[in-house]
Amino acid sequence: MALPALSSSGVKFRRVLAHFPQELSLAFAYGSGVFRQAGDSAGPGENNMLDFVFAVDDAVTWHMMNLTKNRSHYSFLKVLGPKQINSVQNYGAGIYYNTLVPCNGRIIKYGVISTDTLIDDLLHWKTLYVAGRLQKPVKILTQNENSKLQAALVSNLKSAVTAAFLMLPESFSEEDLYMQIAGLSYTGDFRMIVGEDRSKVQNIVEPNVPHFQKLYSNILQDCPQVVYKHHLGRLEANKSPEGQFAQLMSLPRTLQQQITSLVDPPGKNRDVEEILLQVAHDPDCGFVVHQGISRIVRSSSVVQSAKTILTAGVLHGKLITTENTDPSGRNRPQQMQMSNTRKDSRWSHDLLNEIVPRIPQGCRVSWVLHGNVQAERK
């Protein structure tokens, strides 16, 4: 089963790819710059940032080539080289973002993730970060013939449907289903509390129901656990304990582990199958699944957001770097303003403790938080 290709021209998005190394296993565009959201007048806003994700087989080599082509896209981490950039990438959700990049008259943001990390997230929902984005409509720009990646993309969609069934009532509308699916990757995301529009999920789904149908209609028609009344836009799921047990057993591994840890008392160490059978008979089965997803998303969203102190800058204060690359031999200062809350600083300390000792001679990096230098290397 091939992942459905969404309609509409992607020429302007593919032109962006020409600015980057071409060794991509998958590239897609997503977000409000690609798909209309509720509140937009007619279509994707021309002033909205364009968001991309690039999956690459060898992240170190890709960053090395991209540093040659697009060195200005990177924060001070460029002075550390591709291996350390890849080390930072591997924290949290395993994706490295360059943000606020001018390209073809637009501002873009692009994330780089290794193909293996992406496949792992799609199959097992280890972080549900990029997998969650791929549960919603995206514009696929290029994809190679990696059969494991193709199978993982489809598996991720099937898992999203299964998780949504478990959290919905016996009878529901297609729009209810797509709202549940679109909300999976926001469940437990602290940014939905401190920054994002709380009606974000509804804004995504309402104008894009046809795109969701294109992604999921074949899966729904082939699913034995649901009666899909396409002409009515209604679905009826099997909510019997046997049906819910089958669905729980097919959930991604990390979600099963989270459900197990929620239900199994410490030290009891029961078999996963036994625990999921208990959950299948529980009237609060859907709530337990919701809590398991929330645990996954909360952890990855906090770490990934804290990472941006290194890739773009998110804390109160300044990140100041100087790099000996001026032909005259003089240092050229760079400064990034940051904004967010003090509570992310613990994650940032861990990252800084990893990175600052590796800054080469000839560079000075200071992280200034609330007026105090937290880390410095000369």
Side-chain angles (χ1 to χ4, degrees), residues 19 30 41 51-52 56 58 65 71 75 108 132 138 153 155-156 219 238 243 271-272 281 291 296 300 312 368:
H19 293 267
Y30 66 95
S41 57
D51 299 307
F52 298 87
V56 300
D58 185 338
M65 293 187 292
R71 189 174 181 83
S75 70
I108 73 167
V138 302
L153 288 164
S155 176
N156 179 49
I219 292 172
N238 182 353
D271 181 74
V272 172
H281 284 81
Q291 290 297 101
I296 297 170
S300 65
V368 185

Side-chain angles (χ1 to χ4, degrees), residues 168-180:
L168 285 164
E170 184 174 359
S171 178
F172 48 90
S173 70
E174 270 192 271
E175 188 166 322
D176 291 336
L177 173 64
Y178 302 141
M179 289 280 288
Q180 194 70 249

Side-chain angles (χ1 to χ4, degrees), residues 276-305:
L276 295 182
L277 183 60
Q278 174 189 327
V279 174
H281 284 81
D282 191 331
D284 292 326
C285 174
F287 178 73
V288 175
V289 173
H290 180 277
Q291 290 297 101
I293 295 171
S294 179
R295 281 187 167 194
I296 297 170
V297 174
R298 184 183 303 115
S299 176
S300 65
S301 68
V302 169
V303 178
Q304 188 65 30
S305 294

Side-chain angles (χ1 to χ4, degrees), residues 99-281:
T99 65
L100 300 176
V101 174
C103 186
N104 289 355
R106 298 288 296 271
I107 299 298
I108 73 167
K109 174 180 74 177
Y110 63 94
V112 182
I113 187 171
S114 79
T115 306
D116 288 343
T117 299
L118 175 58
I119 290 173
D120 188 52
D121 196 32
L122 292 167
L123 291 177
H124 306 304
W125 288 9
K126 185 177 180 181
T127 68
L128 200 52
Y129 198 85
V130 180
R133 280 161 171 69
L134 284 161
Q135 290 163 359
K136 297 178 275 290
V138 302
K139 169 65 81 174
I140 302 291
L141 304 177
T142 186
Q143 184 178 348
N144 67 13
E145 298 300 318
N146 186 326
S147 59
K148 289 184 179 179
L149 176 57
Q150 179 62 52
L153 288 164
V154 175
S155 176
N156 179 49
L157 298 181
K158 291 180 177 179
S159 295
V161 168
T162 300
F165 286 167
L166 286 162
M167 293 186 287
L168 285 164
E170 184 174 359
S171 178
F172 48 90
S173 70
E174 270 192 271
E175 188 166 322
D176 291 336
L177 173 64
Y178 302 141
M179 289 280 288
Q180 194 70 249
I181 289 172
L184 293 176
S185 61
Y186 297 115
T187 303
D189 189 337
F190 81 99
R191 293 171 300 175
M192 297 298 287
I193 300 172
V194 303
E196 295 279 6
D197 181 356
R198 295 189 187 185
S199 61
K200 186 178 182 72
V201 173
Q202 184 176 353
N203 293 343
I204 290 170
V205 173
E206 284 186 350
N208 292 296
V209 168
H211 292 308
F212 278 94
Q213 288 174 328
K214 196 156 191 175
L215 271 181
Y216 289 103
S217 61
N218 287 341
I219 292 172
L220 295 176
Q221 289 169 1
D222 295 340
C223 180
Q225 298 294 334
V226 70
V227 177
Y228 179 32
K229 301 175 180 179
H230 179 69
H231 60 292
L232 297 176
R234 302 289 302 179
L235 300 99
E236 293 179 3
N238 182 353
K239 303 299 286 187
S240 69
E242 295 78 14
Q244 293 193 140
F245 177 63
Q247 292 165 7
L248 288 163
M249 288 297 292
S250 67
L251 289 174
R253 181 179 63 203
T254 305
L255 180 51
Q256 289 182 340
Q257 291 169 345
Q258 291 292 348
I259 292 171
T260 298
S261 68
L262 283 165
V263 175
D264 200 30
K268 200 165 183 181
N269 297 322
R270 291 184 296 162
D271 181 74
V272 172
E273 187 171 339
E274 180 186 349
I275 295 167
L276 295 182
L277 183 60
Q278 174 189 327
V279 174
H281 284 81

Side-chain angles (χ1 to χ4, degrees), residues 20-26 54-68 74 81-91 93-98 110-118 307:
F20 296 94
Q22 296 302 297
E23 288 71 11
L24 304 172
S25 60
L26 176 70
F54 303 151
V56 300
D57 290 341
D58 185 338
V60 173
T61 299
W62 195 92
H63 283 299
M64 179 180 67
M65 293 187 292
N66 198 43
L67 281 165
T68 301
Y74 290 81
K83 288 185 179 179
Q84 292 309 319
I85 288 172
N86 185 58
S87 294
V88 173
Q89 177 175 310
N90 289 333
Y91 274 89
I95 187 167
Y96 184 102
Y97 273 102
N98 284 326
Y110 63 94
V112 182
I113 187 171
S114 79
T115 306
D116 288 343
T117 299
L118 175 58
K307 261 173 63 173

Side-chain angles (χ1 to χ4, degrees), residues 71-79 310 318-326 331-338 363-366:
R71 189 174 181 83
S72 64
H73 293 183
Y74 290 81
S75 70
F76 80 97
L77 289 176
K78 59 178 170 279
V79 305
L310 299 178
K318 302 174 183 177
L319 185 63
I320 305 169
T321 74
T322 48
E323 180 184 359
N324 278 322
T325 55
D326 193 306
N331 289 332
R332 297 184 300 176
Q334 302 172 4
Q335 178 172 305
M336 292 181 291
Q337 298 293 329
M338 310 175 203
C363 299
R364 179 178 180 273
V365 176
S366 300

